[in-house]
Amino acid sequence: MTQFDMLLRRALMDANLAQYERALQSVEDKEPDFSPRYLRERMRLLADPQGWGRQARPGGRKRLDWRLAAIVAAMLLLSACAYAVATGQFSQWFTWFGVNPNAPEQSEEVLRRTGTVIEQSQTVGDTTLTLNAAVWDGTYIYLSFTIESPSLPEDLQAYTPLHTGDCRLIMRQDQWEEYITNRVKEDCANQNMTPEETEEAVRAALEERGRMNNIGMWPGVAEKREGNVLTFQDNEGLYSGWFTETKRPELTLHLENIATYADGKGESIIDENGYAHPAPPGEIVIPGPFDLTFTLNEPILPIHYGGADVDVTLGTPPLPKVPMHFTELQLSVTGMDLKGEILAQVDMTPQEGYVEVGLPEGSKESDPLRMVDVQYAIFEGPWGLWIEDGTYVDITDSSGGLTGGSDHGETFAAFISHGFPYPIDPATITAVDIGGVRVELSELERLPERMN
C-alpha cells in the first residue's frame, strides 16, 4: 500500500467516524451523543451559560469506547465514497442540522429546496468574510459563513465568547416596512386593539426604522477553527407570514468589529439596582466592516394543524405526573411545535442554583408542579413522528422542551418545541408521537396561519 493509499484510507475512516458516531448509540457504554444538535446546544451553552442553564437537561452519559468506534469506522470504509457523493454542500455547511444516516441524499435535498447558495466573499485588510449559504424554514433563517485572517489571535478558538453587538442582518427598506407593518398588526389584533390604535402603533414602529430595520444577529462563538479560518453558524427569526407581497426577501449581512470580551467570558454585569447589562467588549479581533447582500429563495413553509384532542401524562418516578392536553401542532423542516395546556397548577417561582428533580420530601401529588419537573418530564418524552414510507423517527433526544406558557390558575398554557435529528420535509410526515400517543395528521384540520 502506497503512502497516498494509507492517507486516503485513514481520511475516509476519520470521515466515517465523524458521520457515523451517532450510529453507535445502540451500543452499551456510550458517550455523549455528539450529534449536530448537541453541538449547537453546546455552542449556545458556552455563549450564554446562565441563560442556557435554565432549560438545560440534567444528567450525563458515559464515555464512548473509541476502540469499538474504530472497528465500526473500518467496517464502514467501503461506504465512504458513496456517502461523499450523496452528501452535498448544504449538509457540509450546516452540520448542526444533522444528516439521515440511512438516506443522506434526502437530507441534502430538503436543505437544497429550502436553502440559498450564496458563496460571496469580501476582503477588508487581510481578513476575508465568505458567506456560504442560507437556509430559511419560514420561521428562522440560518447562515453559514467563514472568516479567514492570518491575524487571528492564537487564543481565539472555537467556542471563545465573542462580542458581536455591531453585527446584524439588514432588510431592504420597502420589504422591512411591509414586514414590520404586518408584525405590528398581528400583535395589535392579539391585544384586541382598535383600528386607530393599530394605525398609531404601526406608524410609531416605522418611525423607529433607524433602530429596527435589522434582524438582531449574534453569532456569539465560532463553531470551529482550522488554521486561520473560523467557521460560524447562526440563526435568527424571520417569519414568512409577516410578508404579503415579498416572496424572496433581500438581506445584507453586516459584520463589524468583532471583539473578545473584556473579562474573557462575556458574563453580564449586575448593577446596584440588580439589573443585568451586557459585558463590555475587549480587543477587536476581526475588524470590518463587511457587507454582503443576497436574496433568499422561497422556503419550505411550516404546516400548521388544528383540531387535535390529545391527552397524555408525562413523567416517570421520581418525577411527578404531568397531565397535558394538546390542541395544535406545527411541523417545519427543522422541528415540531405543540400548543396545549398542563392540566395542573405550575409553580412559577424561580429556582436558584441546582434543583434536584422529583417530588421533594413531604410534598403531595396535589401540590403545584415545579417548573424543573415539568421541563424534565417533557425532555423525557417520548416524542417522534412517522414519515410516508413508514419509518419512525425518534426525536426525544433532540433539542427541545417547554418554550413558553402562561399561568391560568388551575391550568398552565404551554408551548413545546422539539427539533428533528435531521431535516425532514413536513409534507412527508403522516403521523406524530406526542408523549406516546400516535396522532394521524390526516384526521386533523390543516390551518393556513402559523401557530401563535
Side-chain angles (χ1 to χ4, degrees):
M1 182 178 289
T2 67
Q3 183 179 18
F4 173 80
D5 291 332
M6 294 176 63
L7 291 174
L8 176 61
R9 182 176 184 274
R10 181 162 187 175
L12 290 174
M13 289 180 65
D14 289 345
N16 272 281
L17 178 57
Q19 169 58 26
Y20 290 96
E21 210 171 357
R22 301 182 65 211
L24 303 176
Q25 294 177 17
S26 61
V27 184
E28 294 182 0
D29 295 327
K30 56 196 179 209
E31 120 107 292
D33 174 13
F34 288 117
S35 68
R37 289 193 176 274
Y38 168 84
L39 295 174
R40 176 177 170 184
E41 292 300 313
R42 184 176 73 178
M43 184 165 65
R44 289 177 172 174
L45 163 65
L46 293 169
D48 182 14
Q50 294 179 343
W52 187 94
R54 298 188 190 100
Q55 299 187 25
R57 179 178 183 173
R61 300 183 184 177
K62 301 176 183 178
R63 283 192 179 277
L64 178 66
D65 186 341
W66 287 105
R67 292 171 296 179
L68 179 58
I71 295 173
V72 173
M75 292 172 63
L76 294 169
L77 176 61
L78 294 178
S79 68
C81 292
Y83 173 79
V85 171
T87 305
Q89 289 175 300
F90 281 97
S91 299
Q92 297 169 18
W93 285 329
F94 296 95
T95 55
W96 65 11
F97 283 128
V99 173
N100 183 348
N102 298 317
E105 69 284 352
Q106 292 181 7
S107 302
E108 175 68 20
E109 175 64 12
V110 172
L111 290 180
R112 185 194 64 77
R113 287 172 48 212
T114 198
T116 304
V117 176
I118 302 172
E119 294 187 314
Q120 292 184 32
S121 295
Q122 183 181 2
T123 299
V124 176
D126 63 358
T127 302
T128 299
L129 166 69
T130 299
L131 179 55
N132 300 316
V135 168
W136 187 25
D137 66 2
T139 303
Y140 293 94
I141 176 176
Y142 302 82
L143 298 179
S144 167
F145 60 94
T146 61
I147 295 176
E148 181 175 7
S149 173
S151 303
L152 294 176
E154 286 299 322
D155 57 355
L156 175 54
Q157 297 293 328
Y159 310 113
T160 298
L162 295 173
H163 183 280
T164 56
D166 293 332
C167 302
R168 56 193 183 274
L169 282 170
I170 303 171
M171 194 180 299
R172 202 177 77 192
Q173 169 68 21
D174 60 321
Q175 295 178 348
W176 173 256
E177 292 181 1
E178 172 190 354
Y179 188 79
I180 195 66
T181 296
N182 291 323
R183 188 186 78 179
V184 173
K185 284 183 177 180
E186 181 181 291
D187 291 340
C188 293
N190 291 335
Q191 299 176 48
N192 298 317
M193 296 174 66
T194 65
E196 293 76 18
E197 292 172 330
T198 299
E199 182 179 350
E200 174 58 27
V202 169
R203 185 196 61 79
L206 292 176
E207 284 184 355
E208 290 186 291
R209 188 194 61 79
R211 292 192 296 113
M212 296 178 62
N213 71 331
N214 60 78
I215 303 170
M217 183 183 176
W218 190 65
V221 294
E223 182 191 16
K224 66 179 179 180
R225 176 171 180 171
E226 294 179 337
N228 294 326
V229 179
L230 293 172
T231 299
F232 292 84
Q233 297 184 66
D234 188 47
N235 69 290
E236 308 298 337
L238 184 66
Y239 174 50
S240 60
W242 288 336
F243 293 106
T244 49
E245 302 298 326
T246 300
K247 301 300 180 184
R248 301 182 60 196
E250 180 183 294
L251 301 169
T252 298
L253 171 61
H254 176 82
L255 299 180
E256 182 175 355
N257 293 343
I258 297 178
T260 55
Y261 281 96
D263 63 358
K265 301 178 181 178
E267 296 179 351
S268 298
I269 298 174
I270 308 300
D271 63 20
E272 64 276 7
N273 297 316
Y275 293 103
H277 301 275
E283 176 190 2
I284 295 177
V285 291
I286 302 172
F290 299 89
D291 289 282
L292 294 174
T293 300
F294 59 98
T295 300
L296 291 172
N297 292 333
E298 293 187 42
I300 297 177
L301 293 174
I303 302 178
H304 179 201
Y305 295 93
D309 185 16
V310 183
D311 288 298
V312 300
T313 299
L314 302 179
T316 55
L319 292 171
K321 295 180 180 179
V322 181
M324 307 189 76
H325 180 74
F326 294 99
T327 55
E328 298 179 41
L329 63 99
Q330 180 171 282
L331 302 169
S332 71
V333 166
T334 56
M336 175 171 68
D337 298 306
L338 297 153
K339 180 180 180 180
E341 58 182 350
I342 299 172
L343 304 178
Q345 287 184 300
V346 178
D347 183 1
M348 301 290 290
T349 305
Q351 303 289 324
E352 296 295 334
Y354 173 76
V355 180
E356 186 174 352
V357 298
L359 288 170
E361 186 176 352
S363 62
K364 305 182 296 295
E365 287 194 6
S366 59
D367 291 341
L369 297 168
R370 297 183 306 166
M371 188 59 71
V372 63
D373 294 320
V374 171
Q375 277 281 23
Y376 196 65
I378 292 172
F379 276 130
E380 290 302 295
W383 309 95
L385 52 92
W386 287 266
I387 55 180
E388 54 192 9
D389 65 358
T391 300
Y392 178 77
V393 181
D394 187 346
I395 66 173
T396 303
D397 288 333
S398 301
S399 60
L402 186 68
T403 56
S406 57
D407 191 357
H408 290 174
E410 295 301 318
T411 63
F412 184 87
F415 291 87
I416 294 173
S417 295
H418 266 282
F420 295 159
Y422 47 81
I424 300 173
D425 184 345
T428 66
I429 300 173
T430 59
V432 295
D433 182 353
I434 301 178
V437 177
R438 176 168 177 145
V439 180
E440 300 291 341
L441 299 182
S442 61
E443 299 176 2
L444 303 182
E445 178 187 4
R446 186 161 172 172
L447 302 179
E449 309 251 338
R450 71 162 180 167
M451 188 173 67
N452 290 315

